[in-house]
Amino acid sequence: MSMAPALDRPEPVCGMDSWMPVPARILKVHAENFNTRTYTMQFVDPDIARRYRFIPGQFNMVYVPGVGEAAISMSSNSSHPEIIEHTIRKVGSVTRAVDHLEDGLVGLRGPFGRGWPLEQRPNHDVVIGAGGIGIAPLRPMVYWLLEHRGQVGRVVLLYGCRTPEDRVFAAELEQWDREGSIEVLVTVDNATGDWVGPVGVVTNLLPRIKVSAARTIVLVCGPKVLNRVAAWNFLQLHVPPNQVYVSLERNMNCGFRRCGHCQYGSKFVCADGPVFCFSEIADIFGKEEI
Ligand SMILES: Cc1cc2nc3c(=O)[nH]c(=O)nc-3n(C[C@H](O)[C@H](O)[C@H](O)COP(=O)(O)OP(=O)(O)OC[C@H]3O[C@@H](n4cnc5c(N)ncnc54)[C@H](O)[C@@H]3O)c2cc1C
């Protein structure tokens, strides 16, 4: 069975190469931590809401009228695409403005990009490494793995954030751990409050899990440094490069390989990624300013 990421991608609701956002209404807001919220949204047009599909790891361009657009991953279950969740950390103009909308309306373009590989090798293990808000594009993948539990071997989620209070999807992390379908290990940089769990970076968790390298698929999303260190650590453990996948973050504008903002060597992160197989980008991975 091929390990290449699925190529048949859902058609963007705005059309293949359109800059025109489609209105969506925010139905619910859930605070994950002090600066991150999960927004539950639905397209205003019921026909578009019915047609919309996405693959875990894909993203929308979220538009706030009069402010601009930002690339934001879907964080919800791709089996229920009529309800879309975006988990957004407030860092700049668009991500702050989403939190202060008077009418609860945003514009969406998407889905864009290439998601996580869904054609798993039967009985292969899946190890997920996520840092901070990097868990957002991986949550749909966790849902997918839980729904297809019989098709994969062991599933391990390694998650790291600054403090216990910074955890995103904290209640679900605890629920997944309790239910036992997947192994969940969380580490924090600073143990505040009554935290008694691991302290340190995500890759410090690796000695706690035994990786059967040849039969392990690795999925990583986090800050640049985590992506690099995690990918290299798994390669050092002899996980084959074509079984290591990393979701990259680049400044984006169009979403459909026209504007060049997200160019990464010969690749466009918006369309060739954001999920890349390590073997595709081995020669440029970790290089700055390319
Ligand atoms: C494929 C893809 C998927 C993404 N998914 C998500 C997601 O699910 N949730 C989410 O919250 N973000 C996500 N992002 C990141 C998001 O697109 C950026 O943070 C975006 O720049 C925010 O737009 P803005 O207008 O609010 O901030 P900007 O005006 O672009 O940035 C304002 C300031 O914040 C700084 N800044 C920007 N991004 C970051 C950052 N990540 N960390 C620290 N400082 C930063 C900039 O350097 C600048 O100084 C994703 C990015 C990509 C490429």
Side-chain angles (χ1 to χ4, degrees), residues 36 57-60 67-75 86-97 133 136-137 162 247-252 262 269-270 273-274:
T36 303
Q58 285 194 297
F59 66 94
N60 282 329
V67 183
E69 283 187 317
I72 304 290
S73 313
M74 276 63 85
S75 63
H86 282 303
T87 302
I88 303 179
R89 190 176 61 163
K90 290 187 256 182
V91 292
S93 46
V94 174
T95 48
R96 282 183 211 287
I133 186 72
R162 286 184 190 153
S247 184
L248 299 183
E249 189 176 318
R250 273 291 208 269
N251 207 352
M252 281 182 191
C262 67
V269 175
C270 68

Side-chain angles (χ1 to χ4, degrees), residues 12-279:
V13 287
C14 53
M16 277 314 272
D17 52 2
S18 168
W19 295 83
M20 188 61 78
V22 177
R25 186 173 300 286
I26 296 175
L27 306 175
K28 206 169 82 187
V29 182
H30 171 72
E32 302 289 347
N33 61 33
F34 77 102
N35 68 355
T36 303
R37 303 209 186 318
T38 295
Y39 301 85
T40 306
M41 308 182 183
Q42 190 164 36
F43 284 106
V44 172
D45 182 333
D47 185 49
I48 292 179
R50 241 188 331 271
R51 278 192 291 118
Y52 182 82
R53 299 274 180 282
F54 70 92
I55 293 168
Q58 285 194 297
F59 66 94
N60 282 329
M61 295 301 295
V62 176
Y63 170 67
V64 176
V67 183
E69 283 187 317
I72 304 290
S73 313
M74 276 63 85
S75 63
S76 47
N77 191 333
S78 58
S79 299
H80 302 286
E82 65 287 353
I83 296 290
I84 303 164
E85 285 182 341
H86 282 303
T87 302
I88 303 179
R89 190 176 61 163
K90 290 187 256 182
V91 292
S93 46
V94 174
T95 48
R96 282 183 211 287
V98 176
D99 211 33
H100 296 99
L101 291 168
E102 283 186 6
D103 56 4
L105 284 174
V106 292
L108 299 180
R109 293 190 296 122
F112 290 124
R114 188 168 65 163
W116 302 107
L118 297 184
E119 300 160 52
Q120 303 294 333
R121 289 185 192 168
N123 302 320
H124 269 55
D125 300 338
V126 179
V127 178
I128 295 172
I133 186 72
I135 196 169
L138 282 160
R139 184 164 75 148
M141 193 60 204
V142 171
Y143 292 142
W144 190 93
L145 287 163
L146 289 171
E147 283 174 17
H148 297 79
R149 195 64 196 85
Q151 294 178 25
V152 289
R154 187 179 170 209
V155 179
V156 183
L157 169 60
L158 310 176
Y159 178 57
C161 53
R162 286 184 190 153
T163 71
E165 295 75 37
D166 284 296
R167 277 173 298 173
V168 174
F169 313 135
E172 259 177 319
L173 288 167
E174 283 169 15
Q175 182 194 334
W176 293 333
D177 188 37
R178 222 176 21 250
E179 290 174 353
S181 286
I182 65 175
E183 294 163 57
V184 180
L185 281 87
V186 179
T187 183
V188 297
D189 296 339
N190 298 299
T192 53
D194 54 3
W195 181 257
V196 290
V199 177
V201 294
V202 173
T203 44
N204 285 3
L205 295 171
L206 278 178
R208 294 173 182 247
I209 60 164
K210 194 163 159 32
V211 176
S212 309
R215 42 168 288 169
T216 295
I217 310 295
V218 174
L219 313 175
V220 178
C221 184
K224 215 184 276 181
V225 64
L226 168 67
N227 288 346
R228 285 183 196 171
V229 175
W232 283 326
N233 279 11
F234 281 106
L235 294 170
Q236 271 169 3
L237 290 172
H238 304 294
V239 177
N242 65 348
Q243 291 174 200
V244 176
Y245 293 83
V246 184
S247 184
L248 299 183
E249 189 176 318
R250 273 291 208 269
N251 207 352
M252 281 182 191
N253 204 343
C254 68
F256 44 86
R257 72 167 90 230
R258 289 288 185 284
C259 72
H261 275 73
C262 67
Q263 198 150 357
Y264 180 54
S266 63
K267 313 229 179 268
F268 292 84
V269 175
C270 68
D272 300 316
V275 175
F276 290 95
C277 185
F278 185 86
S279 50

